[in-house]
Amino acid sequence: MNNAFLPLFYTFHFYLFGLIALASAVLFVTRKSPVAAAMWLVCTMFALAALYVMLDAQFVGVMQVLVYTGAIMVVFLFVVMLLNLGQPGDISDIRGKWGRLVAGFIGIALVAELMALAKSPLDLRLVVPPVVVPPQTGGVIAGIAAPMFKEYLLAFELTSILLLAAIMGAVVLAKKKDAR
Amino acid sequence: MLAESLALSAALFAIGVVGVLTRRNAIIVFMCVELMLNAVNLSFVALSTLYGATGQVFVIFVMTVAAAEAAVGLAIIIAIFRHKQTVNLQNINLLRG
């Protein structure tokens, strides 16, 4: 922090990207057209990627852009276009007044509960003392790769089995029944 | 910035829950689930500034599971669409008594 304006600059952009993420998430939930909703969700994910980079998780930010916005959302949009759902259908997509009221109440209650939980003093046995993060040697990716391939190697291998099962399941489910 | 990140994460998660409860389009409900996963990822990354890079490893795992879930879930949606010609959850009521 050799520049006196850097903390202010950082804070400003943190709040800016946070507001972009929040606003586009609200727009995403309220859009009628699935394509517009998907585009706003992509906007949320881009803002979150910027926040990841600002929180010193550069690799996760890159993966967010590549995997979420580049792969998962493209698959969503592909299905929307495959099923020709671009225009709103005859039955209303958003639930009626009571459904919206109940959902809004549940959402506000959830946020209030999480905020109260953040403020409340925790039992000391539940609090993990912050560790001193050692300075990363070998770049950003090495800091993630070391625990992934040492402590969590089993989980990593199981993930590959999960992906294999998902690929086969998707092919079996989406295949036409009469296709030989 | 930890408190702000966790507050944003809570807000995004709540928006995802509201979306799941209010929307009837199966694909949009599914996208709301993705938003909730993203909110959890944000709190993982925010806490990893305090507790080391393990949180970021978990984010990578969450992303992998999300990708697998998207593939299978969208295949299920396509299969349902073949049967019922709709993805509106109002019309998918086979299990309703």
Side-chain angles (χ1 to χ4, degrees), chain A residues 14-15 29 31 45 51-52 55 60 64 68 75-76 91-93 95 103 111 128 131 143-144 152 159 173-174, chain B residues 4-5 8 14-15 21-25 34 38 41 49-51 53-54 56 59 64 66 74 76 82 91:
Chain A
F14 198 92
Y15 278 99
V29 170
R31 290 308 95 180
M45 285 170 174
L51 287 180
Y52 292 163
L55 286 168
V60 176
Q64 168 91 359
Y68 264 116
V75 173
F76 273 100
I91 303 176
S92 171
D93 180 27
R95 281 184 206 278
V111 170
V128 186
V131 294
I144 300 173
Y152 299 102
T159 310
L173 280 170
Chain B
E4 289 89 343
S5 301
L8 177 64
I15 290 172
L21 291 174
T22 50
R23 303 308 296 259
R24 286 203 186 106
N25 189 328
E34 297 290 332
N38 263 288
N41 279 352
T49 57
L50 217 60
Y51 296 105
T54 309
Q56 298 180 27
V59 171
T64 320
L74 288 170
I76 290 174
R82 283 226 184 88
N91 298 332

Side-chain angles (χ1 to χ4, degrees), chain A residues 77-169:
Chain A
L77 281 173
F78 187 75
V79 170
V80 168
M81 289 171 190
L82 187 71
L83 305 184
N84 198 15
L85 303 171
Q87 54 276 67
D90 46 345
I91 303 176
S92 171
D93 180 27
I94 302 172
R95 281 184 206 278
K97 199 175 74 178
W98 284 107
R100 266 180 282 177
L101 269 178
V102 170
F105 178 74
I106 290 175
I108 290 170
L110 192 62
V111 170
E113 189 187 339
L114 288 169
M115 296 294 169
L117 200 64
K119 291 276 186 295
S120 66
L122 276 176
D123 190 337
L124 277 180
R125 283 170 298 177
L126 295 175
V127 178
V128 186
V131 294
V132 179
V133 182
Q136 286 176 349
T137 53
V140 180
I141 298 174
I144 300 173
M148 184 184 258
F149 291 114
K150 282 177 188 160
E151 293 157 55
Y152 299 102
L153 183 63
L154 182 65
F156 179 78
E157 298 292 345
L158 286 176
T159 310
S160 60
I161 296 176
L162 173 78
L163 281 176
L164 182 66
I167 292 167
M168 290 161 63

